[in-house]
Amino acid sequence: MEINTKTKAGLITVVRVLRRLWTGGPASRATLARELELDKSTLTNVCGRLIKAGLIHRVREGSVGRQGGRRPTLLDIRAAKGAVAGLEIQPDRIRMVYTDLQGQTLMEETREILSSNRKLSAILDTVAEFFARDRDGLPVLGAGIAIPGIIDPWEGTILRSTPLQMDEAFPLVEELERRLAVPVICDNDANCCAWGSIFGIPDLGNRTSFAALLGDLRGSVLSTGFSLVLGGEEVYHGSGYSAGEFRSIFCPEGGDRQFAAAARPREEETLPAHTPADTMEELCRNTAFLVNMLNLNAVVIAGTLADERETFSSTLQREIRRNWIYPPAPECPVYCAPGGKHSSAFGAAALFLRQLCRVPVLSRTGYGYDGSLFLRVFGSSL
């Protein structure tokens, strides 16, 4: 059966095959046909087109079945088709990760931003200078952007960002696509940590509900953002895209501090190397409330907070027990987001890959849900 990617049905069939290989690893044509419930002629046509386009390739022979016969040829994503960039943009730095199409990191890099160049226009100029259109001989197919603030990922717009001192909406994706000349998608930086964790932490499974915390110690103040994944593999954005914006329930009315503890004067003159104990306890009390209220299965931490995993985990478990009324108290494992200090940038690259290989949803548009991202990147080769 001939497949036409200009139709929604044809596009869905092609992306289903590609996504199965991206998420499940190498498979034979027979396995793909069985798992995706496609007839042999349709699958042969789709695989032939994907091979010709350089998106998949033959990797090795599989095992002979119980009834003997020829060894099946296994197909897989061709990782060297191109690279994907993930960038984390902060007022004082840009972090960039390049991955191949299977999400393996090719390069990590950080560039500091001078205090005189911290207006958004100057930061985007630095991003454009920093961005490479090929990496190790691979063309860069697109970029995912992690950025602090309230982000509308469907429109690619920064709605508000306190760290970037932005009170009005800004069309980030439109501006970066003009400067970088590749497709771009974006999300909040903590959300990108969650996307990277969905991709890079197998233990989370595909039905886990978890919170991702991005915490960076700046001086003696911990800057924190949350992200929520509720019962599946999708980040919860909220109706106004502000889900995860955090301020402690113990903070007094008014002010812009995230923690009540941070508003209290401190006696020490030197800046702490670790999160102050009262701030860590306050963060864990807030997190425990969410774990118990939402029945979360895990917590993922990123940023400098990941350097204090042992302290965070033990404090969190204590606060979960204190906040729980039924015996026994739930256990909540704590993971570190993949990518280390580049976890947001890695997550942004993982987000781009995920949306690139997302099976199109007919009822949704934008943000890679409707197949438009796949067509922009690969449509000409199919």
Side-chain angles (χ1 to χ4, degrees), residues 100 126 152 175-176 242 261 374:
D100 62 23
T126 303
D152 177 350
E175 184 62 28
L176 279 179
S242 62
F374 177 85

Side-chain angles (χ1 to χ4, degrees), residues 128-139:
E129 294 170 6
F130 196 21
F131 182 80
R133 288 173 177 77
D134 65 85
R135 176 54 55 183
D136 298 331
L138 300 180

Side-chain angles (χ1 to χ4, degrees), residues 28-320:
S28 67
R29 288 177 174 84
T31 297
L32 292 171
R34 183 179 65 254
E35 292 184 1
L36 300 176
E37 299 181 340
L38 295 173
D39 63 71
K40 184 177 179 181
S41 63
T42 298
L43 187 71
T44 298
N45 177 269
V46 170
C47 289
R49 295 183 69 171
L50 290 172
I51 290 171
K52 186 177 180 180
L55 290 175
I56 67 175
H57 62 157
R58 303 173 183 89
V59 288
R60 63 178 184 275
E61 292 185 338
S63 301
V64 176
R66 293 181 180 179
Q67 297 179 347
R70 297 175 59 185
R71 292 178 179 273
T73 299
L74 301 186
L75 303 172
D76 199 6
I77 296 288
R78 182 170 169 262
K81 173 67 174 178
V84 167
L87 294 94
E88 177 195 9
I89 298 175
Q90 298 289 344
D92 59 346
R93 67 172 185 271
I94 301 166
R95 285 185 172 140
M96 185 180 293
V97 168
Y98 287 93
T99 76
D100 62 23
L101 286 189
Q102 290 184 330
Q104 297 301 309
T105 299
L106 303 173
M107 188 278 295
E108 298 174 340
E109 194 171 348
T110 299
R111 178 169 296 187
E112 303 297 327
I113 298 176
L114 298 175
S115 58
S116 58
N117 291 327
R118 291 183 181 175
K119 290 185 177 181
L120 185 60
S121 59
I123 292 174
L124 297 185
D125 287 339
T126 303
V127 169
E129 294 170 6
F130 196 21
F131 182 80
R133 288 173 177 77
D134 65 85
R135 176 54 55 183
D136 298 331
L138 300 180
V140 177
L141 304 176
I145 308 296
I147 197 158
I150 301 175
I151 311 299
D152 177 350
W154 276 267
E155 296 295 331
T157 300
I158 303 173
L159 299 179
R160 293 177 69 90
S161 176
T162 299
L164 294 172
Q165 300 181 348
M166 297 185 63
D167 295 323
E168 297 181 354
F170 179 81
L172 178 68
V173 164
E174 178 183 330
E175 184 62 28
L176 279 179
E177 287 190 342
R178 183 181 66 81
R179 293 169 184 252
L180 305 183
V182 296
V184 173
I185 60 176
C186 69
D187 207 337
N188 168 270
D189 50 359
N191 287 344
C192 285
C193 288
W195 290 119
S197 299
I198 292 170
F199 174 80
I201 305 180
D203 287 351
L204 288 177
N206 60 8
R207 293 186 58 84
T208 296
S209 296
F210 69 92
L213 281 69
L214 173 60
D216 277 315
L217 190 63
R218 299 177 183 272
S220 62
V221 177
L222 183 68
S223 176
T224 306
F226 278 69
S227 180
L228 295 172
V229 176
L230 303 177
E233 294 189 317
E234 297 292 332
V235 167
Y236 177 71
H237 290 94
S239 59
Y241 311 109
S242 62
E245 291 298 309
F246 171 73
R247 190 166 191 253
S248 170
I249 57 177
F250 303 104
C251 279
E253 183 178 355
D256 58 358
R257 296 295 186 106
Q258 288 189 299
F259 295 94
R264 294 195 289 268
R266 301 184 182 279
E267 295 181 0
E268 58 265 34
E269 295 182 359
T270 58
L271 296 178
H274 304 287
T275 303
D278 51 0
T279 301
M280 178 69 79
E281 180 176 325
E282 188 176 348
L283 174 62
C284 288
R285 292 186 74 180
N286 281 272
T287 306
F289 173 78
L290 289 175
V291 167
N292 291 339
M293 179 67 71
L294 299 176
N295 192 24
L296 302 180
N297 308 109
V299 170
V300 177
I301 54 178
T304 58
L305 190 61
D307 298 333
E308 302 177 71
R309 176 183 177 183
E310 185 175 340
T311 301
F312 178 89
S313 182
S314 60
T315 307
L316 176 64
Q317 300 303 332
R318 185 190 72 212
E319 295 301 328
I320 287 174

